[in-house]
Amino acid sequence: AGVELPEATLSEEEKRKASRRQRLLELNKDAATYYFYQLRNPRGEVAKEYLDKRKLTEETRKNFGLGYAPVQGNELITYLRGKGYTDDMIRDVGLARIDEKHGASTLFWNRVMFPIQDINHRVIGFGGRIMGDSDGGPKYLNSPETEIFEKRRNLYGMNYARTSRAGNIIL
């Protein structure tokens, strides 16, 4: 039709924010992959038994990317550092806390992990259900709000509901 569309131009600050956001999403994806594989090795047996008891099929586990945070939770931090992420980035997505005395320590250990995805299937946070009562932590623990995870703007499983062709939805 001969109509010229304006090109979107981003300021340097906007480009920097977009690049950081993308890097944080990649970090969460790598963490989700780590948890996914932990569920499928011998250390994840207790979590597999829990999911079996809850009658969750392997297909459901794969579709939702369910995983396991091992008892030695700081292994995740070592894994993510090996992928080039800084402790500050790991903290900024809500996977760790940092203090001067102990350095970085993970928020999730000995838990079945539920990656929380946005409507575009990008991992933006995590929920975890503790395996056992002796760890003293809360039964359920979710990621805190972060630059990429706003709790009020996301609903677990909405990425699948959005593309479903069913005529209804159960919340």
Side-chain angles (χ1 to χ4, degrees):
V3 177
E4 285 190 40
L5 298 175
E7 289 189 31
T9 57
L10 298 176
S11 69
E12 288 303 314
E13 178 67 15
E14 290 169 324
K15 287 178 186 176
R16 187 189 63 72
K17 282 184 180 179
S19 175
R20 175 175 165 75
R21 180 176 172 78
Q22 185 59 39
R23 187 76 172 137
L24 295 177
L25 289 166
E26 289 169 6
L27 189 160
N28 268 353
K29 182 179 179 182
D30 285 336
T33 300
Y34 173 85
Y35 291 140
F36 184 87
Y37 285 105
Q38 294 304 310
L39 179 63
R40 285 146 186 88
N41 76 38
R43 291 193 303 177
E45 196 59 42
V46 66
K48 282 190 277 192
E49 289 171 8
Y50 170 79
L51 295 172
D52 288 343
K53 190 171 96 179
R54 299 301 302 241
K55 308 239 187 286
L56 289 173
T57 65
E58 182 59 26
E59 178 184 8
T60 297
R61 296 173 201 187
K62 283 182 180 177
N63 283 344
F64 285 90
L66 302 187
Y68 175 65
V71 175
Q72 305 300 331
N74 282 346
E75 292 174 8
L76 171 69
I77 294 172
T78 302
Y79 171 79
L80 293 172
R81 285 175 181 155
K83 293 212 156 262
Y85 301 108
T86 65
D87 288 356
D88 288 341
M89 292 175 78
I90 298 167
R91 178 201 59 216
D92 291 350
V93 296
L95 288 171
R97 68 179 142 270
I98 300 175
D99 69 43
E100 290 181 22
K101 186 176 182 182
H102 300 103
S105 59
T106 188
L107 295 180
F108 298 101
W109 66 92
N110 197 27
R111 291 179 183 275
V112 171
M113 297 300 292
F114 299 83
I116 300 168
Q117 300 177 37
D118 66 10
I119 59 169
N120 295 312
H121 300 281
R122 297 175 300 195
V123 178
I124 55 174
F126 294 91
R129 202 281 188 196
I130 202 162
M131 296 287 93
D133 300 323
S134 62
D135 289 338
K139 186 174 185 177
Y140 296 99
L141 181 64
N142 293 321
S143 295
E145 290 215 358
T146 67
E147 295 171 51
I148 58 175
F149 179 42
E150 292 179 70
K151 293 181 181 185
R152 71 182 181 277
R153 294 187 177 271
N154 293 282
L155 181 62
Y156 185 81
M158 187 55 107
N159 51 323
Y160 293 111
R162 180 178 148 236
T163 58
S164 172
R165 299 296 172 230
N168 54 44
I169 184 171
I170 299 172
L171 294 179

